[in-house]
């Protein structure tokens, strides 16, 4: 794929991740899972997809652009910090574990670990913002929620990557 196509693909993936991130805010997941701030992490599917089909540098650029744009649209500097710290930890975890995929981890396990690291990153950011370690008491709830949320995003990624690999073979 030439450079122009890669840049265009990165732009489209950034737009998709941003749209998913903004749309996800409208889903009242707290009604089903009574944990404040819990999200499915649909935008993370796009970032993980980018790691599979693009370079790590491009995946980090997509993450950074999505987080900054989402914070600008939401008008929240705190959200920027929480999402950036969580996103970087999650993406780095995904990158590391993808190298072990099919040996030790499936997309479901990788996604759950990524969700857990995202939650850890958000708690670390909250500790920094609030200047208190008391926030860590919220972490066990978030880590338990990472399992089903990671399963959902892992399932989406698994189906998506199988479909994309099938399309590539058909070309």
């Amino acid at each position: 794929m030439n450079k122009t196509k890669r840049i265009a693909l990165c732009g489209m993936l950034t737009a998709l991740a941003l749209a998913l991130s903004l749309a996800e805010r409208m889903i009242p997941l707290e009604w089903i899972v009574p944990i404040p701030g819990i999200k499915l992490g649909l935008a993370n599917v796009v970032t993980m997809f980018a790691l599979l089909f693009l370079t790590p540098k491009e995946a980090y650029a997509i993450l950074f652009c999505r987080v900054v744009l989402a914070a600008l649209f939401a008008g929240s500097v705190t959200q920027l910090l929480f999402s950036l710290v969580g996103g970087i930890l999650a993406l780095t975890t995904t990158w590391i574990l993808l190298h072990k995929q099919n040996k030790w981890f499936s997309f479901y396990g990788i996604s759950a670990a990524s969700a857990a690291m995202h939650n850890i990153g958000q708690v670390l950011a909250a500790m920094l913002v609030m200047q208190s370690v008391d926030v860590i008491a919220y972490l066990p709830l978030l880590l338990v929620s990472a399992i089903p949320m990671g399963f959902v995003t892992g399932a989406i990624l698994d189906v998506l990557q199988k479909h994309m690999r099938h399309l590539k073979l058909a070309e």
Side-chain angles (χ1 to χ4, degrees):
M1 182 183 318
N2 68 36
K3 188 175 182 177
T4 303
K5 286 183 179 180
R6 290 184 85 80
I7 291 170
L9 180 58
C10 286
M12 288 190 296
L13 289 175
T14 300
L16 176 60
L18 180 61
L20 287 171
S21 179
L22 295 174
E24 195 170 32
R25 290 184 192 167
M26 296 179 209
I27 300 171
L29 200 57
E30 293 87 17
W31 292 356
I32 300 166
V33 182
I35 301 173
I38 193 167
K39 294 187 336 180
L40 280 171
L42 296 176
N44 294 331
V45 173
V46 176
T47 313
M48 291 167 45
F49 175 87
L51 269 180
L52 287 173
F53 293 96
L54 297 170
T55 67
K57 181 180 174 183
E58 291 164 330
Y60 279 99
I62 290 166
L63 169 71
F64 182 76
C65 290
R66 189 248 314 160
V67 167
V68 169
L69 290 170
L72 283 173
F73 290 143
S76 174
V77 175
T78 305
Q79 178 189 332
L80 173 68
L81 178 65
F82 283 32
S83 295
L84 197 55
V85 173
I88 289 171
L89 282 177
L91 184 56
T92 303
T93 299
T94 301
W95 185 25
I96 292 167
L97 294 181
L98 275 174
H99 289 59
K100 302 297 181 190
Q101 195 257 340
N102 289 334
K103 293 179 184 176
W104 297 333
F105 301 101
S106 67
F107 286 121
Y108 300 93
I110 292 169
S111 187
S114 176
M117 291 306 292
H118 194 279
N119 292 337
I120 290 169
Q122 288 184 318
V123 168
L124 290 173
M127 288 169 54
L128 178 70
V129 168
M130 300 172 102
Q131 297 181 353
S132 170
V133 294
D134 295 341
V135 181
I136 205 160
Y138 190 51
L139 188 57
L141 281 173
L142 292 175
L143 292 178
V144 168
S145 74
I147 296 167
M149 299 304 133
F151 185 84
V152 169
T153 57
I156 293 168
L157 181 64
D158 192 30
V159 169
L160 184 60
Q161 68 85 25
K162 284 178 184 170
H163 183 69
M164 290 302 295
R165 292 191 195 286
H166 176 71
L167 287 176
K168 280 191 146 198
L169 292 174
E171 288 180 18

